[in-house]
Amino acid sequence: MKHIFLVFLFSLLLQRSMTTILTGEKMKAQDCSSYISESVIIILEHMVVMNERIKKLEGFSSEFENFKKDFTNINQISNVNLQIRLENRTAEVLSENSKITEMVQRLQTDFSLQKENLKSLEEITKEKLESQDNKLTADGANKAAEINKLSTRFDSMDTQIAGQQKKIDLLQVELNEKLKPIDGLRKFEDLTTKQMEAAIKKINVAIRTLAYMKIGSKLYYIEETEKRNWYDSRAFCLDFGGHLVSPQSQSELDALGKKLKKGENLYWTDIQDFSTEGVFISDTTGEKPKFINWRQEPDNWYNEDCVEIKFLNEWSMNDNDCYSRINFVCESQLV
Protein backbone atom coordinates (compact mmCIF):
# COMPACT_ATOMS: atom_id res chain seq x y z
CA MET A 1 0.00 0.00 0.00
CA LYS A 2 2.92 2.36 0.84
CA HIS A 3 4.66 1.66 -2.51
CA ILE A 4 1.51 2.53 -4.34
CA PHE A 5 1.32 5.76 -2.42
CA LEU A 6 4.92 6.73 -3.28
CA VAL A 7 4.31 6.02 -6.94
CA PHE A 8 1.24 8.23 -6.71
CA LEU A 9 3.28 11.08 -5.21
CA PHE A 10 6.00 10.73 -7.81
CA SER A 11 3.51 10.83 -10.62
CA LEU A 12 1.92 13.92 -9.09
CA LEU A 13 5.32 15.64 -8.91
CA LEU A 14 6.16 14.63 -12.45
CA GLN A 15 2.83 15.95 -13.67
CA ARG A 16 3.46 19.31 -12.02
CA SER A 17 6.98 19.51 -13.58
CA MET A 18 5.68 18.65 -17.00
CA THR A 19 3.03 21.28 -16.71
CA THR A 20 5.67 23.90 -15.99
CA ILE A 21 7.90 22.81 -18.87
CA LEU A 22 5.05 22.75 -21.32
CA THR A 23 4.04 26.26 -20.41
CA GLY A 24 7.60 27.37 -21.27
CA GLU A 25 8.38 28.74 -17.92
CA LYS A 26 12.08 28.95 -16.98
CA MET A 27 12.82 28.25 -13.40
CA LYS A 28 15.65 29.61 -11.37
CA ALA A 29 17.45 27.66 -8.67
CA GLN A 30 15.64 29.57 -5.97
CA ASP A 31 12.34 29.12 -7.70
CA CYS A 32 13.10 25.46 -8.15
CA SER A 33 13.77 25.06 -4.45
CA SER A 34 10.54 26.87 -3.65
CA TYR A 35 8.73 24.77 -6.16
CA ILE A 36 10.07 21.58 -4.65
CA SER A 37 9.10 22.74 -1.15
CA GLU A 38 5.57 23.46 -2.26
CA SER A 39 5.40 20.12 -4.00
CA VAL A 40 6.67 18.34 -0.90
CA ILE A 41 4.07 20.15 1.23
CA ILE A 42 1.35 19.16 -1.19
CA ILE A 43 2.64 15.60 -1.19
CA LEU A 44 2.71 15.54 2.61
CA GLU A 45 -0.83 16.87 2.78
CA HIS A 46 -1.93 14.17 0.38
CA MET A 47 -0.02 11.64 2.44
CA VAL A 48 -1.89 12.71 5.58
CA VAL A 49 -5.23 12.45 3.81
CA MET A 50 -4.31 9.10 2.31
CA ASN A 51 -3.08 7.84 5.67
CA GLU A 52 -6.43 8.75 7.26
CA ARG A 53 -8.29 6.98 4.46
CA ILE A 54 -6.05 3.93 4.87
CA LYS A 55 -6.86 3.86 8.61
CA LYS A 56 -10.58 4.10 7.82
CA LEU A 57 -10.26 1.27 5.32
CA GLU A 58 -8.42 -0.83 7.88
CA GLY A 59 -11.18 -0.03 10.43
CA PHE A 60 -13.84 -0.99 7.89
CA SER A 61 -11.98 -4.20 7.18
CA SER A 62 -11.84 -5.05 10.90
CA GLU A 63 -15.55 -4.27 11.35
CA PHE A 64 -16.35 -6.38 8.32
CA GLU A 65 -14.46 -9.32 9.80
CA ASN A 66 -16.28 -8.92 13.12
CA PHE A 67 -19.62 -8.66 11.33
CA LYS A 68 -18.76 -11.76 9.36
CA LYS A 69 -17.99 -13.65 12.57
CA ASP A 70 -21.21 -12.40 14.24
CA PHE A 71 -23.25 -13.34 11.19
CA THR A 72 -21.72 -16.82 11.22
CA ASN A 73 -22.54 -17.22 14.94
CA ILE A 74 -26.10 -15.90 14.49
CA ASN A 75 -26.65 -18.17 11.52
CA GLN A 76 -25.44 -21.16 13.52
CA ILE A 77 -27.68 -20.23 16.51
CA SER A 78 -30.70 -19.64 14.24
CA ASN A 79 -30.20 -23.00 12.58
CA VAL A 80 -30.01 -24.69 15.99
CA ASN A 81 -33.15 -22.88 17.28
CA LEU A 82 -35.03 -23.59 14.09
CA GLN A 83 -34.09 -27.25 14.34
CA ILE A 84 -35.29 -27.37 17.97
CA ARG A 85 -38.59 -25.63 17.15
CA LEU A 86 -39.11 -27.92 14.19
CA GLU A 87 -38.53 -30.97 16.37
CA ASN A 88 -40.91 -29.63 19.07
CA ARG A 89 -43.63 -28.84 16.54
CA THR A 90 -43.22 -32.26 14.98
CA ALA A 91 -43.66 -33.85 18.41
CA GLU A 92 -46.81 -31.74 19.05
CA VAL A 93 -48.31 -32.70 15.69
CA LEU A 94 -47.61 -36.36 16.34
CA SER A 95 -49.23 -36.06 19.80
CA GLU A 96 -52.34 -34.32 18.40
CA ASN A 97 -52.55 -36.90 15.63
CA SER A 98 -52.41 -39.67 18.23
CA LYS A 99 -55.20 -38.02 20.27
CA ILE A 100 -57.38 -37.55 17.19
CA THR A 101 -56.84 -41.17 16.23
CA GLU A 102 -57.90 -42.31 19.72
CA MET A 103 -60.99 -40.04 19.60
CA VAL A 104 -62.01 -41.40 16.19
CA GLN A 105 -61.66 -44.94 17.50
CA ARG A 106 -63.84 -44.13 20.55
CA LEU A 107 -66.47 -42.49 18.33
CA GLN A 108 -66.51 -45.51 16.07
CA THR A 109 -66.95 -47.78 19.08
CA ASP A 110 -69.78 -45.58 20.50
CA PHE A 111 -71.46 -45.43 17.11
CA SER A 112 -71.40 -49.21 16.85
CA LEU A 113 -72.94 -49.53 20.33
CA GLN A 114 -75.62 -46.93 19.57
CA LYS A 115 -76.41 -48.65 16.30
CA GLU A 116 -76.87 -51.97 18.09
CA ASN A 117 -79.04 -50.34 20.80
CA LEU A 118 -81.18 -48.60 18.18
CA LYS A 119 -81.69 -51.85 16.33
CA SER A 120 -82.69 -53.60 19.55
CA LEU A 121 -85.08 -50.74 20.48
CA GLU A 122 -86.62 -50.85 17.01
CA GLU A 123 -87.31 -54.57 17.35
CA ILE A 124 -88.85 -54.12 20.83
CA THR A 125 -91.02 -51.22 19.65
CA LYS A 126 -92.20 -53.19 16.66
CA GLU A 127 -93.20 -56.11 18.89
CA LYS A 128 -95.09 -53.79 21.29
CA LEU A 129 -96.93 -52.06 18.44
CA GLU A 130 -97.97 -55.40 16.97
CA SER A 131 -99.18 -56.54 20.39
CA GLN A 132 -101.15 -53.31 20.97
CA ASP A 133 -102.64 -53.50 17.49
CA ASN A 134 -103.87 -57.01 18.15
CA LYS A 135 -105.27 -55.92 21.52
CA LEU A 136 -107.05 -52.91 20.01
CA THR A 137 -108.55 -55.10 17.32
CA ALA A 138 -109.89 -57.48 19.96
CA ASP A 139 -111.16 -54.59 22.12
CA GLY A 140 -112.87 -53.03 19.10
CA ALA A 141 -114.71 -56.25 18.40
CA ASN A 142 -115.81 -56.48 22.05
CA LYS A 143 -116.97 -52.83 22.07
CA ALA A 144 -118.94 -53.36 18.88
CA ALA A 145 -120.71 -56.34 20.47
CA GLU A 146 -121.51 -54.26 23.58
CA ILE A 147 -122.86 -51.41 21.43
CA ASN A 148 -125.13 -53.83 19.59
CA LYS A 149 -126.45 -55.13 22.92
CA LEU A 150 -127.07 -51.58 24.20
CA SER A 151 -128.83 -50.64 20.96
CA THR A 152 -131.15 -53.63 21.34
CA ARG A 153 -131.89 -52.65 24.96
CA PHE A 154 -132.60 -49.04 23.96
CA ASP A 155 -135.04 -50.19 21.28
CA SER A 156 -136.82 -52.34 23.86
CA MET A 157 -136.93 -49.42 26.33
CA ASP A 158 -138.36 -47.08 23.66
CA THR A 159 -141.18 -49.58 23.11
CA GLN A 160 -141.83 -49.78 26.86
CA ILE A 161 -141.78 -45.97 27.21
CA ALA A 162 -144.28 -45.61 24.36
CA GLY A 163 -146.60 -48.07 26.14
CA GLN A 164 -146.26 -46.22 29.44
CA GLN A 165 -146.95 -42.89 27.72
CA LYS A 166 -150.24 -44.24 26.39
CA LYS A 167 -151.21 -45.32 29.91
CA ILE A 168 -150.28 -41.86 31.25
CA ASP A 169 -152.42 -40.15 28.59
CA LEU A 170 -155.41 -42.31 29.56
CA LEU A 171 -154.88 -41.53 33.25
CA GLN A 172 -154.64 -37.79 32.46
CA VAL A 173 -158.01 -37.89 30.66
CA GLU A 174 -159.55 -39.71 33.62
CA LEU A 175 -158.00 -37.24 36.07
CA ASN A 176 -159.31 -34.24 34.14
CA GLU A 177 -162.84 -35.67 34.35
CA LYS A 178 -162.49 -36.06 38.12
CA LEU A 179 -161.08 -32.51 38.56
CA LYS A 180 -163.97 -30.72 36.87
CA PRO A 181 -165.92 -30.32 40.17
CA ILE A 182 -162.75 -29.02 41.86
CA ASP A 183 -162.27 -26.37 39.13
CA GLY A 184 -165.73 -25.04 40.03
CA LEU A 185 -164.63 -24.73 43.64
CA ARG A 186 -161.47 -22.90 42.57
CA LYS A 187 -163.49 -20.33 40.65
CA PHE A 188 -165.65 -19.81 43.71
CA GLU A 189 -162.51 -19.46 45.85
CA ASP A 190 -161.05 -16.86 43.46
CA LEU A 191 -164.29 -14.90 43.59
CA THR A 192 -164.30 -15.06 47.38
CA THR A 193 -160.64 -13.86 47.53
CA LYS A 194 -161.45 -10.79 45.43
CA GLN A 195 -164.41 -10.01 47.62
CA MET A 196 -162.25 -10.35 50.73
CA GLU A 197 -159.58 -8.00 49.29
CA ALA A 198 -162.27 -5.43 48.54
CA ALA A 199 -163.63 -5.77 52.06
CA ILE A 200 -160.14 -5.39 53.59
CA LYS A 201 -159.58 -2.30 51.48
CA LYS A 202 -162.81 -0.79 52.77
CA ILE A 203 -161.81 -1.65 56.34
CA ASN A 204 -158.41 0.03 55.86
CA VAL A 205 -160.13 3.10 54.49
CA ALA A 206 -162.41 3.16 57.51
CA ILE A 207 -159.46 2.76 59.92
CA ARG A 208 -157.51 5.51 58.19
CA THR A 209 -160.60 7.70 58.23
CA LEU A 210 -160.88 7.20 61.97
CA ALA A 211 -157.12 7.71 62.65
CA TYR A 212 -156.49 10.46 60.11
CA MET A 213 -158.22 13.83 60.16
CA LYS A 214 -159.26 15.64 57.01
CA ILE A 215 -157.72 19.07 56.56
CA GLY A 216 -158.40 20.64 53.21
CA SER A 217 -158.02 18.03 50.48
CA LYS A 218 -155.67 15.75 52.46
CA LEU A 219 -155.72 13.40 55.43
CA TYR A 220 -153.29 13.89 58.32
CA TYR A 221 -152.29 11.78 61.31
CA ILE A 222 -150.72 13.92 64.04
CA GLU A 223 -148.57 12.09 66.60
CA GLU A 224 -148.51 14.27 69.72
CA THR A 225 -147.65 11.64 72.33
CA GLU A 226 -144.84 9.38 71.07
CA LYS A 227 -141.58 10.93 69.84
CA ARG A 228 -139.37 9.22 67.27
CA ASN A 229 -136.31 10.01 65.14
CA TRP A 230 -136.81 10.84 61.45
CA TYR A 231 -136.18 7.26 60.20
CA ASP A 232 -138.60 5.61 62.64
CA SER A 233 -141.23 8.28 61.94
CA ARG A 234 -140.93 7.66 58.21
CA ALA A 235 -141.31 3.87 58.70
CA PHE A 236 -144.38 4.39 60.93
CA CYS A 237 -146.13 6.54 58.32
CA LEU A 238 -145.39 4.05 55.51
CA ASP A 239 -146.80 1.18 57.60
CA PHE A 240 -149.84 3.34 58.36
CA GLY A 241 -150.65 3.83 54.68
CA GLY A 242 -149.13 7.28 54.22
CA HIS A 243 -145.84 9.22 54.34
CA LEU A 244 -144.29 12.06 56.34
CA VAL A 245 -146.06 15.35 55.79
CA SER A 246 -145.02 17.36 52.72
CA PRO A 247 -146.62 20.87 52.73
CA GLN A 248 -147.14 22.31 49.25
CA SER A 249 -147.83 25.95 50.25
CA GLN A 250 -147.87 28.35 53.20
CA SER A 251 -151.66 28.25 53.31
CA GLU A 252 -151.57 24.45 53.52
CA LEU A 253 -148.94 24.68 56.29
CA ASP A 254 -151.00 27.27 58.19
CA ALA A 255 -154.14 25.12 57.92
CA LEU A 256 -152.21 22.17 59.36
CA GLY A 257 -150.64 24.41 62.03
CA LYS A 258 -154.06 25.18 63.47
CA LYS A 259 -154.20 21.52 64.60
CA LEU A 260 -150.64 21.44 65.95
CA LYS A 261 -149.41 22.46 69.39
CA LYS A 262 -147.41 25.64 69.50
CA GLY A 263 -144.45 26.11 71.79
CA GLU A 264 -141.67 23.53 72.06
CA ASN A 265 -143.38 20.84 69.94
CA LEU A 266 -141.56 20.04 66.69
CA TYR A 267 -142.82 17.81 63.84
CA TRP A 268 -140.87 15.88 61.18
CA THR A 269 -141.53 16.46 57.45
CA ASP A 270 -140.40 14.30 54.48
CA ILE A 271 -137.73 16.84 53.36
CA GLN A 272 -133.99 15.88 53.65
CA ASP A 273 -130.59 16.54 51.99
CA PHE A 274 -128.88 13.14 52.36
CA SER A 275 -127.37 13.04 48.85
CA THR A 276 -125.91 16.55 48.59
CA GLU A 277 -125.50 18.97 51.47
CA GLY A 278 -127.79 21.97 50.99
CA VAL A 279 -129.79 20.34 48.16
CA PHE A 280 -133.09 19.39 49.80
CA ILE A 281 -135.54 16.93 48.23
CA SER A 282 -138.90 15.42 49.12
CA ASP A 283 -138.46 11.83 50.30
CA THR A 284 -141.91 11.04 48.90
CA THR A 285 -141.37 12.29 45.31
CA GLY A 286 -137.56 12.20 45.07
CA GLU A 287 -137.65 15.76 43.68
CA LYS A 288 -137.10 19.24 45.06
CA PRO A 289 -140.06 20.25 47.25
CA LYS A 290 -142.45 22.79 45.77
CA PHE A 291 -142.54 24.73 49.04
CA ILE A 292 -140.03 25.49 51.83
CA ASN A 293 -140.42 28.28 54.37
CA TRP A 294 -137.06 28.79 56.15
CA ARG A 295 -136.69 31.02 59.19
CA GLN A 296 -132.98 31.83 59.72
CA GLU A 297 -132.21 28.31 58.50
CA PRO A 298 -130.78 25.96 57.37
CA ASP A 299 -127.45 26.17 59.22
CA ASN A 300 -126.42 22.46 59.12
CA TRP A 301 -125.58 22.65 62.82
CA TYR A 302 -123.84 19.36 63.71
CA ASN A 303 -124.70 17.81 60.33
CA GLU A 304 -128.47 18.49 60.37
CA ASP A 305 -129.95 16.79 57.27
CA CYS A 306 -133.69 16.44 58.09
CA VAL A 307 -136.35 19.18 58.09
CA GLU A 308 -138.92 19.83 60.85
CA ILE A 309 -141.90 22.16 61.35
CA LYS A 310 -141.78 24.59 64.26
CA PHE A 311 -143.68 27.68 65.34
CA LEU A 312 -141.69 30.93 65.45
CA ASN A 313 -144.17 33.80 65.10
CA GLU A 314 -145.58 31.61 62.34
CA TRP A 315 -145.25 28.03 61.22
CA SER A 316 -141.90 27.67 59.40
CA MET A 317 -139.18 25.10 58.73
CA ASN A 318 -135.81 24.29 60.30
CA ASP A 319 -133.08 21.65 59.71
CA ASN A 320 -132.39 19.26 62.58
CA ASP A 321 -130.34 16.17 63.44
CA CYS A 322 -132.16 13.19 61.90
CA TYR A 323 -131.68 11.16 65.10
CA SER A 324 -133.41 13.73 67.30
CA ARG A 325 -136.60 12.33 68.84
CA ILE A 326 -139.56 14.67 68.15
CA ASN A 327 -143.23 14.43 67.10
CA PHE A 328 -144.24 13.84 63.50
CA VAL A 329 -147.18 14.17 61.07
CA CYS A 330 -148.25 11.52 58.53
CA GLU A 331 -150.00 12.54 55.33
CA SER A 332 -152.32 10.53 53.03
CA GLN A 333 -154.53 11.24 50.05
CA LEU A 334 -158.31 10.91 50.17
CA VAL A 335 -159.57 7.59 48.75
Side-chain angles (χ1 to χ4, degrees):
M1 182 67 70
K2 291 181 179 180
H3 294 294
I4 295 171
F5 181 67
L6 291 174
V7 171
F8 171 74
L9 291 178
F10 180 76
S11 62
L12 183 63
L13 180 60
L14 181 60
Q15 182 181 4
R16 183 177 177 84
S17 299
M18 290 298 295
T19 302
T20 304
I21 293 171
L22 290 174
T23 54
E25 293 181 356
K26 294 181 179 180
M27 299 177 60
K28 296 179 179 181
Q30 186 178 358
D31 293 333
C32 184
S33 176
S34 176
Y35 176 78
I36 292 171
S37 297
E38 291 177 0
S39 298
V40 170
I41 292 170
I42 292 171
I43 290 170
L44 290 175
E45 289 176 353
H46 283 287
M47 286 179 67
V48 172
V49 172
M50 291 301 294
N51 190 31
E52 291 178 356
R53 291 181 178 178
I54 289 169
K55 288 181 179 180
K56 287 182 179 181
L57 287 173
E58 289 176 352
F60 288 154
S61 177
S62 176
E63 290 179 0
F64 177 75
E65 291 296 330
N66 292 332
F67 176 76
K68 186 177 180 181
K69 291 179 181 180
D70 293 339
F71 179 77
T72 302
N73 293 332
I74 291 171
N75 190 25
Q76 291 176 353
I77 293 171
S78 298
N79 290 334
V80 172
N81 292 336
L82 183 61
Q83 183 67 26
I84 293 171
R85 290 177 61 188
L86 182 61
E87 291 176 356
N88 292 336
R89 185 57 183 166
T90 302
E92 291 176 358
V93 170
L94 292 175
S95 177
E96 291 294 330
N97 188 26
S98 177
K99 291 179 181 179
I100 292 171
T101 302
E102 292 178 359
M103 186 180 296
V104 170
Q105 291 176 353
R106 286 199 302 270
L107 290 174
Q108 289 177 347
T109 303
D110 293 341
F111 178 74
S112 299
L113 293 174
Q114 293 294 335
K115 186 176 180 180
E116 292 177 0
N117 293 334
L118 183 61
K119 185 176 180 180
S120 177
L121 180 62
E122 182 180 0
E123 292 176 354
I124 294 171
T125 304
K126 185 176 180 181
E127 291 177 357
K128 287 184 177 180
L129 289 174
E130 290 177 353
S131 176
Q132 290 180 358
D133 186 41
N134 295 332
K135 185 177 180 181
L136 288 173
T137 302
D139 291 343
N142 294 332
K143 295 295 183 183
E146 291 180 2
I147 290 171
N148 290 331
K149 290 180 181 179
L150 290 173
S151 179
T152 303
R153 290 180 62 185
F154 286 150
D155 292 340
S156 176
M157 290 176 66
D158 288 340
T159 303
Q160 293 177 5
I161 290 171
Q164 294 295 331
Q165 185 63 44
K166 289 181 180 179
K167 291 181 180 180
I168 291 171
D169 293 339
L170 292 174
L171 290 173
Q172 185 66 45
V173 172
E174 185 178 352
L175 180 62
N176 291 336
E177 291 295 329
K178 292 181 179 180
L179 288 177
K180 285 182 179 180
I182 297 176
D183 290 337
L185 292 174
R186 285 178 178 173
K187 292 179 180 179
F188 176 76
E189 183 180 356
D190 292 339
L191 180 61
T192 304
T193 301
K194 292 179 180 179
Q195 291 175 349
M196 288 179 63
E197 289 177 352
I200 291 171
K201 188 175 182 180
K202 290 180 180 180
I203 292 171
N204 288 334
V205 171
I207 292 173
R208 287 169 58 192
T209 302
L210 294 174
Y212 283 80
M213 67 174 64
K214 183 176 180 299
I215 302 175
S217 60
K218 296 181 179 179
L219 296 176
Y220 296 95
Y221 171 79
I222 302 173
E223 179 57 61
E224 297 283 8
T225 305
E226 186 177 1
K227 296 184 178 182
R228 300 171 180 253
N229 62 40
W230 186 89
Y231 303 99
D232 292 341
S233 300
R234 175 180 179 274
F236 179 92
C237 291
L238 291 175
D239 291 340
F240 207 52
H243 56 80
L244 284 173
V245 65
S246 180
Q248 300 298 304
S249 64
Q250 185 64 43
S251 60
E252 187 175 302
L253 179 58
D254 291 338
L256 174 62
K258 292 179 180 180
K259 302 295 182 180
L260 303 178
K261 292 182 179 180
K262 299 179 181 179
E264 296 182 358
N265 280 23
L266 307 173
Y267 303 89
W268 285 124
T269 71
D270 74 335
I271 302 172
Q272 43 83 7
D273 65 344
F274 295 153
S275 298
T276 304
E277 182 62 38
V279 179
F280 290 90
I281 63 170
S282 168
D283 184 70
T284 305
T285 63
E287 299 176 355
K288 290 185 178 181
K290 295 181 179 180
F291 169 75
I292 295 181
N293 182 14
W294 297 114
R295 283 294 180 268
Q296 301 177 355
E297 297 291 345
D299 57 6
N300 194 35
W301 183 260
Y302 289 107
N303 196 26
E304 297 174 332
D305 293 327
C306 297
V307 178
E308 64 188 7
I309 298 172
K310 70 177 183 178
F311 186 81
L312 184 63
N313 297 326
E314 65 174 347
W315 288 104
S316 58
M317 297 180 181
N318 170 59
D319 58 343
N320 196 355
D321 180 8
C322 298
Y323 289 96
S324 296
R325 300 176 66 85
I326 62 175
N327 301 111
F328 58 92
V329 177
C330 298
E331 176 184 319
S332 178
Q333 299 294 329
L334 291 173
V335 180

